[in-house]
Amino acid sequence: GVFGSPGQANYAAANAFLDALMVQRRAEGLPGLSLAWGPWSLTGGTAGMLADAEADRLTRSGVPPLTAEQGLALFDAALATGDATCVPVRLDLSALRAQGEVPPLLRSLIRGRSRRAAAAESATATGLREQLVGLSPVERQDVLLDLVRGQVALVLGHADANDVHPARAFRELGFDSLTSVELRNRLNTVTGLRLPATMVFDYPTVEVLVSYVLDELLGADAEVATVQRAAVAVADDPIVIVGMACRYPGGVTSPDDLWKLVTDGIDAVSPFPTNRGWDVESLYHPDPDHLGTSYTRSGGFLHEAGEFDPGFFGMSPREALATDSQQRLLLESSWEAIERAGIDPVSLRGSRTGVFAG
C-alpha cells in the first residue's frame, strides 16, 4: 500500500486498509502498529511470499532484502517511534538513482537528483547521438542492438547478452509487465529518451525496438539497415496456391493424405479417441434424447491432435494446455503450409504475409 506493490494489488489494498485502521485506533487512544515490511532474506533463500526472481528485481530497483538481524532491529525501532504506521525497508540510494524514475515518496531522500540526473541523461543522449551520427546504418544498428540486448540481459538475469535472441518476442524471452517497466527505465537512463511504459508490447522484439529507439534518437536522419518488402498492387492479380497443409479425420495430416483418402475411398469415421480423458462407456447411451450422452460410438476425430510440440512454437507446456486445440492445429498447419511452399517461415517475420485458413 505504500509504494503500490506492483503485481500485488490485492495485498496493497488490504494493507492500506490495515494502515488506516491503525491510524484510527491510535486516534481513539487504542494500541496499534502497522509495519509495511520490505523483503526479508534468510540463510538458504528469501523468506515469506517473495520468489527469488522478485527479490532480485527489488534489489536492482533499490529495495534489497533485509537480513534477520536488520529486520529485528527495525522492529524494535518501530515500536519505539509511537507511530501508527512504519515502513521498515532497506534502501539502496545509488540503485534508486540509476532507475531513471524514482517513486515520488522517495524523491526527497535523493536530494538534487533530478537536476543532476537530467544533466547526466542529456549528456548520455548527446554522446550516443554523436556516436551514431558518425556511423553507417549497419553500424548504428549493431551499436544499439548491443546496448538494448545488454539491458535486456541485465533485467532478465542473463550472464551474457548473447543469450538474448534479437528476433524472439519479449513475451517469449520471459518479460511481464513489471520487467517491461524496468527495461523501459533502464533504457531511459542510458539513452536519455522518455520511452513509453508499453514499449515492449508496442515493439515486441529487440530488433523492432532497436529500430524505434534509433528513430527516436536520430529522427529523420535515421537510416534503418533492413530490407523493406514493398507491397505492389498488380492489375488482374492471379491467386496462385504454392503450399498447403491440412488436418482431417482418417489420419490425414497432409494434402497427399487427403488425396489418398479420396481416391482410395477410405472411411474416415473411427471410434472415440482414447487420449482425451473421456469416460467413453458412460458417454454412450442408445436413446438419442438422453441428455449429456451420445447415441453413437464413432465419429470423425483427429486422434493425433494432442501431439503438439509447444517448445517448437516457443510455448510452455502449461500455456499449450490452456490454448484452444484449434489454435494449436492452426499453428501447425500454417507453419507446414509455408514450408511446403519452400519458404523458411522465420524469414517472413515482419513481412506482410498471411495464411488463408478455411
Side-chain angles (χ1 to χ4, degrees):
V2 177
F3 295 109
S5 299
Q8 304 260 346
N10 50 342
Y11 288 112
N15 291 338
F17 175 84
L18 180 62
D19 292 342
L21 178 62
M22 294 304 104
V23 171
Q24 179 185 353
R25 287 181 60 83
R26 285 299 182 97
E28 296 173 352
L30 300 172
L33 174 60
S34 176
L35 299 179
W37 287 105
W40 283 51
S41 64
L42 298 176
T43 303
T46 304
M49 295 179 290
L50 200 64
D52 289 340
E54 182 69 2
D56 292 341
R57 186 189 69 80
L58 286 172
T59 299
R60 293 196 302 270
S61 65
V63 188
L66 295 160
T67 64
E69 292 76 12
Q70 291 169 332
L72 293 172
L74 287 175
F75 183 79
D76 292 337
L79 289 174
T81 64
D83 293 329
T85 62
C86 291
V87 186
V89 298
R90 283 179 64 195
L91 296 177
D92 183 342
L93 299 186
S94 60
L96 284 167
R97 290 190 189 97
Q99 286 301 299
E101 292 186 12
V102 177
L105 193 63
L106 300 178
R107 285 175 186 166
S108 63
L109 299 177
I110 306 177
R111 301 189 182 281
R113 180 265 167 201
S114 297
R115 184 177 300 172
R116 291 199 305 271
E121 289 171 3
S122 176
T124 299
T126 301
L128 185 58
R129 287 192 187 97
E130 291 176 350
Q131 179 186 1
L132 295 173
V133 166
L135 300 176
S136 69
V138 173
E139 290 171 329
R140 292 174 183 173
Q141 200 85 1
D142 289 342
V143 167
L144 275 182
L145 187 63
D146 289 343
L147 185 148
V148 173
R149 288 175 76 188
Q151 296 302 315
V152 169
L154 285 173
V155 171
L156 295 180
H158 291 298
D160 191 338
N162 290 324
D163 294 333
V164 178
H165 196 295
R168 196 172 181 191
F170 284 115
R171 180 182 61 81
E172 296 174 1
L173 291 173
F175 273 86
D176 57 20
S177 57
L178 298 180
T179 47
S180 299
V181 171
E182 183 178 348
L183 176 63
R184 186 278 306 263
N185 292 343
R186 285 182 173 275
L187 288 178
N188 280 348
T189 300
V190 298
T191 64
L193 297 173
R194 280 291 172 263
L195 301 169
T198 57
M199 179 185 71
V200 302
F201 304 104
D202 299 334
Y203 309 96
T205 69
V206 171
E207 288 178 335
V208 175
L209 179 58
V210 164
S211 297
Y212 167 68
V213 172
L214 182 60
D215 187 59
E216 289 294 300
L217 283 169
L218 299 184
D221 295 331
E223 293 182 50
V224 182
T226 57
V227 177
Q228 300 293 332
R229 298 182 177 89
V232 181
V234 180
D236 192 27
D237 186 13
I239 294 176
V240 180
I241 299 174
V242 294
M244 297 176 63
C246 56
R247 296 287 189 275
Y248 286 109
V252 174
T253 59
S254 70
D256 293 335
D257 290 343
L258 180 59
W259 183 247
K260 180 175 176 60
L261 182 141
V262 174
T263 56
D264 294 355
I266 297 173
D267 186 2
V269 175
S270 64
F272 287 162
T274 58
N275 59 357
R276 299 287 199 275
W278 297 348
D279 185 352
V280 176
E281 294 305 318
S282 299
L283 186 61
Y284 173 76
H285 195 282
D287 182 3
D289 296 326
H290 190 272
L291 294 177
T293 58
S294 168
Y295 63 90
T296 178
R297 295 181 183 272
S298 58
F301 298 101
L302 303 183
H303 290 265
E304 297 81 19
E307 298 177 6
F308 179 75
D309 183 358
F312 182 80
F313 292 101
M315 299 170 66
S316 68
R318 179 174 296 178
E319 182 184 5
L321 283 175
T323 301
D324 191 292
S325 56
Q326 295 188 56
Q327 184 176 347
R328 298 198 301 263
L329 292 168
L330 183 60
L331 280 171
E332 292 177 339
S333 52
S334 297
W335 192 278
E336 288 180 17
I338 296 171
E339 283 189 331
R340 287 179 181 278
I343 301 171
D344 179 5
V346 175
S347 70
L348 299 177
R349 185 188 295 272
S351 68
R352 300 180 61 186
T353 303
V355 174
F356 177 85

